[in-house]
Amino acid sequence: MGTLKENVALNVKNIGSPVNNPENQSSPAIDVDGTLYFGSLGVKDSKDKDKKDDGVHFCNLYSSTIVPDKGYGKATALPENINREGYHTANVSITPDGNTMYYTRVVSDGGHMEESKLYASTKTARGWSPALEVTGINGDYLVRHPVEGELYGNKVLFFAANIPGGKGGFDLYYANKTGEASFSEPIGLGSLNTAMDELTPYYIDGKLFFSSEGWPGLGGLDVFSSTWNGSEFSAPINLGMPINSSVDDIYYKINKNGDMGFLVSNRDAPGSKSLKGKTCCDDIYTVEKKEIYS
Amino acid sequence: MDQYTKAYGEVKDKDIAIKIAKTHLLLRDYTKSVNWFNRVLSKDKANKYLEERFLYGRALKMAGSTTEAAAEFKTYIETGADPNLKAWAETELKELS
């Protein structure tokens, strides 16, 4: 297919239970202490066992830590001051210093997103602080996928939004940090946006990774990278297989060494869990550099 | 979805089949989407469902049928009406060919 080559040095593997379940999982984010945060639909807490299932499931944020020799352990829901009842809480990211968590609260009606706003919590000795609505970015449009980065020597927040006047669908933006949970007005990443959706930005060491269905790709949403040269982003490069597949590949994140990361995909792969059909639902995958034995 | 499927079973209406195909695409069941689109588009000699050919191409691509997908995108570029979808189809075709 086309010009894309497979990166044979990478291994993409389903993270498995108990992090993944047959519904959608999203936004894997690693804290400095190794805790994995992510969004998930349909995880039933033990306290919900006696509740009648009304068919309305909400996305909530969960955390999980590594159990030696067993992988990630049981997922625990974050407290109610973050997972507010009646909202979908999703799109979590942790700042590189581990001190701030950004996420979205979404109001949806029958699968249609009516409101999506950014929130922040800071790490305290007693856990994450109650949600604080981010100022400067939220408006009469949908804002998703916040993640911290750095441009022109300033801390910025990258995100996706369908702000009127954009190129179409969801476009990528950034805003300069001006205080705790406060930012300047959104600035569009014009050269990276297309008439279709650009989503799930992730920035590390001068490289912006994002998913797009508007640039040439293997499937629905493909992962691309673009390099910041100090004044502008380069033309996007498709990451190819196995990061991308014939379906949707989003939330690509990689560490500084480039040898460990995460991905979310609805691909039909060993270990994938889907409620209905083979590709209905998103799972979290780990991305690792293959070990070479001599 | 169940109601659409039941209705199609009763009246065999092509518009309902197209709705089912589009719903399967939204629900990301690409194989079923392809099957429902194909039920109508393979017999659409009068090109009544020309605009649906782009979505059929997307479903085919994501189901892994890249040659058939490329053919549908080509058809849409040559005969479709929506300039935005035509541009998108050209991008898709570029990667598939």
Side-chain angles (χ1 to χ4, degrees):
Chain A
M1 178 186 298
T3 54
L4 301 177
K5 288 179 183 164
E6 181 170 3
N7 186 343
V8 293
L10 291 176
N11 194 17
V12 176
K13 190 179 165 194
N14 191 293
I15 203 169
S17 297
V19 171
N20 287 328
N21 68 33
E23 297 239 27
N24 280 316
Q25 278 67 56
S26 65
S27 62
I30 285 281
D31 200 349
V32 288
D33 66 358
T35 302
L36 172 69
Y37 291 90
F38 62 100
S40 181
L41 261 174
V43 177
K44 268 197 168 181
D45 278 349
S46 53
K47 63 183 180 185
D48 293 338
K49 265 182 188 165
D50 298 329
K51 279 189 185 171
K52 196 180 168 189
D53 189 347
D54 56 6
V56 181
H57 294 171
F58 285 92
C59 180
N60 283 310
L61 299 184
Y62 293 81
S63 67
S64 175
T65 52
I66 293 264
V67 178
D69 302 325
K70 287 188 177 173
Y72 284 97
K74 187 172 176 276
T76 308
L78 300 195
E80 286 172 12
N81 60 10
I82 291 174
N83 288 324
R84 180 179 282 183
E85 198 171 340
Y87 288 81
H88 294 278
T89 309
N91 301 314
V92 61
S93 73
I94 309 285
T95 54
D97 63 11
N99 289 331
T100 307
M101 170 192 282
Y102 291 105
Y103 48 96
T104 56
R105 276 185 179 164
V106 177
V107 178
S108 80
D109 183 14
H112 174 71
M113 213 185 298
E114 294 188 329
E115 181 185 299
S116 180
K117 292 183 186 298
L118 301 190
Y119 285 80
S121 291
T122 50
K123 198 180 272 172
T124 71
R126 288 176 295 165
W128 293 103
S129 70
L132 191 63
E133 187 176 336
V134 165
T135 62
I137 297 175
N138 293 326
D140 292 333
Y141 39 78
L142 305 172
V143 189
R144 306 163 76 187
H145 312 144
V147 67
E148 190 178 271
E150 191 180 313
L151 293 180
Y152 303 107
N154 299 319
K155 277 188 181 173
V156 302
L157 198 68
F158 291 100
F159 54 94
N162 62 349
I163 298 173
K167 287 202 175 172
F170 281 88
D171 285 340
L172 298 178
Y173 292 83
Y174 75 91
N176 292 303
K177 189 169 184 176
T178 54
E180 189 190 340
S182 66
F183 292 87
S184 68
E185 280 192 10
I187 300 161
L189 294 177
S191 62
L192 302 182
N193 293 324
T194 70
M196 308 307 154
D197 285 345
E198 277 70 43
L199 303 169
T200 61
Y202 175 68
Y203 185 88
I204 187 163
D205 283 352
K207 248 186 186 175
L208 185 72
F209 297 93
F210 64 97
S211 292
S212 169
E213 59 178 8
W215 292 96
L218 295 169
L221 286 152
D222 272 23
V223 181
F224 295 81
S225 73
S226 174
T227 305
W228 176 249
N229 70 2
S231 60
E232 61 183 2
F233 281 104
S234 65
I237 296 169
N238 187 305
L239 297 196
M241 293 187 290
I243 302 299
N244 290 318
S245 67
S246 68
V247 293
D248 292 334
D249 303 292
I250 51 179
Y251 290 110
Y252 179 69
K253 294 176 176 179
I254 195 84
N255 66 3
K256 274 181 183 282
N257 299 333
D259 57 6
M260 172 64 199
F262 293 97
L263 173 74
V264 170
S265 177
N266 65 326
R267 65 185 64 184
D268 176 20
S272 69
K273 294 175 183 293
S274 271
L275 191 64
K276 208 172 180 184
K278 289 177 178 172
T279 50
C280 78
C281 303
D282 291 323
D283 274 353
I284 296 173
Y285 288 79
T286 54
V287 179
E288 286 179 35
K289 241 184 190 172
K290 285 179 186 168
E291 287 182 29
I292 309 291
Y293 298 98
S294 56
Chain B
M1 176 66 89
D2 290 343
Q3 284 176 340
Y4 280 141
T5 312
K6 196 177 165 197
Y8 181 80
E10 287 168 5
V11 297
K12 306 287 181 204
D13 185 305
K14 287 177 185 170
D15 287 346
I16 295 174
I18 290 291
K19 272 190 180 145
I20 294 171
K22 287 179 178 175
T23 307
H24 277 304
L25 186 57
L26 273 177
L27 295 173
R28 305 196 295 184
D29 192 332
Y30 310 118
T31 307
K32 281 187 182 166
S33 179
V34 164
N35 290 341
W36 280 95
F37 272 127
N38 188 48
R39 203 177 283 214
V40 177
L41 299 183
S42 63
K43 295 170 192 161
D44 184 33
K45 307 288 183 231
N47 277 340
K48 184 189 168 194
Y49 294 97
L50 195 54
E51 291 305 300
E52 276 69 24
R53 295 237 168 234
F54 175 79
L55 290 179
Y56 182 37
R58 292 275 293 169
L60 282 164
K61 181 187 174 190
M62 287 190 271
S65 304
T66 52
T67 308
E68 294 85 349
E72 292 303 326
F73 290 133
K74 202 163 172 240
T75 301
Y76 194 81
I77 292 163
E78 288 164 358
T79 51
D82 185 328
N84 290 331
L85 288 188
K86 275 188 169 191
W88 195 356
E90 275 166 13
T91 304
E92 295 281 22
L93 191 59
K94 202 158 81 180
E95 191 46 51
L96 289 171
S97 51

